[in-house]
Amino acid sequence: IQLIREAYRISPSAPDFSASDHFMGWGRRRGGEAAQQSFTSYVADQLRTEASIAKESRKAREEKNLRAHRPNPKGKGKG
């Protein structure tokens, strides 16, 4: 029920269930029951971590692509 409420609270016309893994506890360590506020904080932390990882992966991929398409400065080659 908490997942449904949160999904509709964020976007009533298009609920987002992308955080369901965290709400279901599939990415969570066992260690006791959490109160609603701490559980919501936990889910937010997990989503923040995933977003950070995705951002760093994207940045690394973009930098790799830039390096692959950038000519060597002043005509210097490897070696």
Side-chain angles (χ1 to χ4, degrees):
I1 294 177
Q2 224 174 331
L3 170 62
I4 295 168
R5 286 182 182 164
E6 188 67 13
Y8 279 92
R9 182 187 68 80
I10 293 171
S11 179
S13 62
D16 179 11
F17 293 95
S18 63
S20 62
D21 287 354
H22 299 296
F23 270 94
M24 298 303 292
W26 294 329
R28 183 178 181 188
R29 295 182 184 158
R30 298 188 188 269
E33 298 295 317
Q36 182 178 359
Q37 185 66 19
S38 62
F39 183 67
T40 302
S41 295
Y42 166 79
V43 171
D45 288 341
Q46 294 300 311
L47 293 172
R48 194 175 302 114
T49 299
E50 285 184 4
S52 177
I53 291 169
K55 178 181 178 182
E56 292 302 319
S57 295
R58 178 188 51 79
K59 285 170 50 178
R61 190 172 48 252
E62 287 175 358
E63 179 147 342
K64 181 180 176 183
N65 288 338
L66 284 174
R67 287 183 184 192
H69 294 99
R70 186 181 308 157
N72 290 333
K74 298 181 184 178
K76 294 181 181 177
K78 291 184 179 180

